[in-house]
Amino acid sequence: MWGMTHMDEWRPVMAMLVFNLISAVMTALVKEALQQGLNSLVLITLRQLVATVFLAPIAYFKERNTRPKFTLDMFVYHFFSAALGAALSQYTFFYGLKFTTATFAITFANMAPVLTFLISIALRVESLNMKSKAGTAKILGTLMSFGGVLLLSLYKGVAVTHAAALSSAHHAANSSQVGTTTDKRTWMLGTVSLLANCLFFSFWLLLQSRLTKKYPALYSSTAIMFFFSTLQAGALTVTIERHSSVWIVTRRLEILTILYSGIMASAAGFLIMTWCVHKRGPVFTAAFIPVIQIMVAIIDFFFLHEQIYFGSILGSALMIFGLYLLLWGKKKDAAACCTDNKQVDEEADNKQGATS
């Protein structure tokens, strides 16, 4: 019995580690495909279409006897879930990825748990006792994470690896016509886009925590979300991109990126996230994002030869330390809440026994 309970506790952890590996490979593939000219909106649309086609039959046969009735209320939930978690979240991430690096984009995604926590407090989903140690840890962790974001956004520093330095020199020699001011503007534009991605993702996690309770058919719910996001991204692509040539995908890397992103990152990845939100909540799920950063940094340096800067390392360390300080405070609060509830139950049982 203890072994089964122990396994149940570790399953969400193992699931999120698998999700992190999938996301790391996807980020590296997307970065390379975007640099080769793949349109980000076309990528999102085709990625969601592949995910829908892949997951819909599985959802239909697996949950045909347990699927709840699809009401108007569920339509609204799934529509906004698709807009926040797929269409808008992916577009802002890919746009930010285009103007920064894969490592920076994933590093910036570490803000998602902090923003999720702050929004949860604003919506009164989470509590904050500023007089307790846990409350102080939450505040300090939030401030440190924001400090790390500012450091990442405003300070690059020197390249910390020999390969990165060579890549930087090569890039500077081949693109001397591009001014430093322009580089800073595009970097800040990418940073703002990544911040928007974190906001959309945080709102999606909170929405998903309610949706899984109202519509517990995870496969069907995810497939419906992908179908809606395909229509949303497709409509946005047709509106913005007037040339039909953007839909033509012929390069092997582009096809591989679309298939991998649709089947693995979308279909498998969102199922894993949704299941973990259902089991452990939105903050726990968001807390595993920093692990992706390590995986992406390895792929980034050894395969994509991206530049790694001292400012990125310093800002990342500050952000991750602040994040886990926040999570430590949350864990202490949860433990204290469980203890208080247990005491209340014991007192109620004692009163009931005395009355009897």
Side-chain angles (χ1 to χ4, degrees):
M1 182 65 70
W2 182 88
M4 290 296 294
T5 304
H6 197 63
M7 281 296 296
D8 287 339
E9 290 179 356
W10 277 97
R11 277 173 187 166
V13 176
M14 298 303 296
M16 284 307 301
L17 289 176
V18 172
F19 169 77
N20 288 345
L21 181 60
I22 292 172
S23 299
V25 175
M26 186 273 297
T27 303
L29 283 174
V30 167
K31 175 64 177 178
E32 193 69 15
L34 291 176
Q35 287 180 341
Q36 291 190 12
L38 180 61
N39 185 281
S40 57
L41 284 172
V42 171
L43 170 59
I44 295 169
T45 305
L46 295 180
R47 168 186 175 175
Q48 301 307 92
L49 179 61
V50 169
T52 304
V53 173
F54 177 80
L55 196 58
I58 300 174
Y60 176 77
F61 288 106
K62 189 175 181 63
E63 298 174 337
R64 56 184 172 181
N65 297 324
T66 58
R67 189 183 301 110
K69 186 178 179 181
F70 195 74
T71 61
L72 179 61
D73 188 35
M74 289 300 98
F75 174 86
V76 174
Y77 266 98
H78 282 90
F79 181 87
F80 283 102
S81 176
L84 293 171
L88 292 173
S89 179
Q90 288 182 30
Y91 179 69
T92 50
F93 180 78
F94 292 159
Y95 195 80
L97 183 62
K98 182 179 179 181
F99 292 115
T100 58
T101 66
T103 303
F104 179 85
I106 288 295
T107 301
F108 205 91
N110 293 335
M111 275 300 296
V114 179
L115 291 175
T116 304
F117 170 69
L118 293 176
I119 295 169
S120 298
I121 291 177
L123 297 177
R124 297 184 178 180
V125 177
E126 291 273 349
S127 60
L128 179 64
N129 182 7
M130 298 180 66
K131 295 181 179 180
S132 65
K133 289 183 179 179
T136 304
K138 288 179 180 180
I139 295 170
L140 287 176
T142 302
L143 292 175
M144 289 182 69
S145 295
F146 274 115
V149 168
L150 290 175
L151 196 59
L152 277 169
S153 306
L154 302 176
Y155 176 68
K156 278 190 176 182
V158 296
V160 296
T161 58
H162 180 63
L166 289 176
S167 175
S168 178
H170 179 71
H171 176 77
N174 289 326
S175 56
S176 57
Q177 72 274 14
V178 181
T180 306
T181 304
T182 305
D183 291 341
K184 288 182 178 179
R185 285 177 181 174
T186 55
W187 189 270
M188 285 303 298
L189 184 63
T191 301
V192 171
S193 183
L194 292 172
L195 178 60
N197 163 258
C198 291
L199 283 170
F200 289 136
F201 184 68
S202 296
F203 279 115
W204 178 81
L205 284 172
L206 293 169
L207 178 66
Q208 203 69 7
S209 65
R210 297 190 64 180
L211 178 58
T212 52
K213 295 176 182 177
K214 291 177 174 289
Y215 200 87
L218 299 184
Y219 289 89
S220 300
S221 179
T222 309
I224 293 168
M225 182 190 73
F226 287 146
F227 175 70
F228 282 166
S229 64
T230 302
L231 299 179
Q232 292 166 351
L236 187 61
T237 307
V238 172
T239 303
I240 296 176
E241 302 293 343
R242 298 295 183 179
H243 301 287
S244 58
S245 59
V246 297
W247 293 97
I248 300 175
V249 179
T250 55
R251 292 189 181 94
R252 185 179 298 177
L253 176 65
E254 294 176 349
I255 297 171
L256 175 63
T257 301
I258 291 169
L259 291 176
Y260 182 88
S261 298
I263 296 172
M264 297 301 295
S266 285
F270 272 83
L271 272 176
I272 291 171
M273 275 199 300
T274 302
W275 181 77
C276 287
V277 168
H278 178 66
K279 289 290 184 180
R280 292 288 188 89
V283 177
F284 169 86
T285 305
F288 276 82
I289 291 175
V291 182
I292 306 177
Q293 178 187 343
I294 301 170
M295 298 178 181
V296 169
I298 295 171
I299 297 172
D300 226 6
F301 178 69
F302 287 103
F303 296 100
L304 300 183
H305 307 294
E306 291 279 8
Q307 300 172 15
I308 301 176
Y309 295 102
F310 177 72
S312 296
I313 294 177
L314 196 60
S316 301
L318 189 62
M319 183 186 293
I320 293 173
F321 187 76
L323 169 63
Y324 284 104
L325 193 60
L326 165 65
L327 293 175
W328 179 84
K330 180 175 171 57
K331 183 179 180 180
K332 286 292 182 181
D333 265 352
C337 182
C338 289
T339 302
D340 292 341
N341 290 337
K342 186 177 180 180
Q343 290 178 350
V344 170
D345 291 339
E346 289 177 353
E347 289 176 1
D349 291 339
N350 291 336
K351 288 181 179 179
Q352 187 175 1
T355 306
S356 300

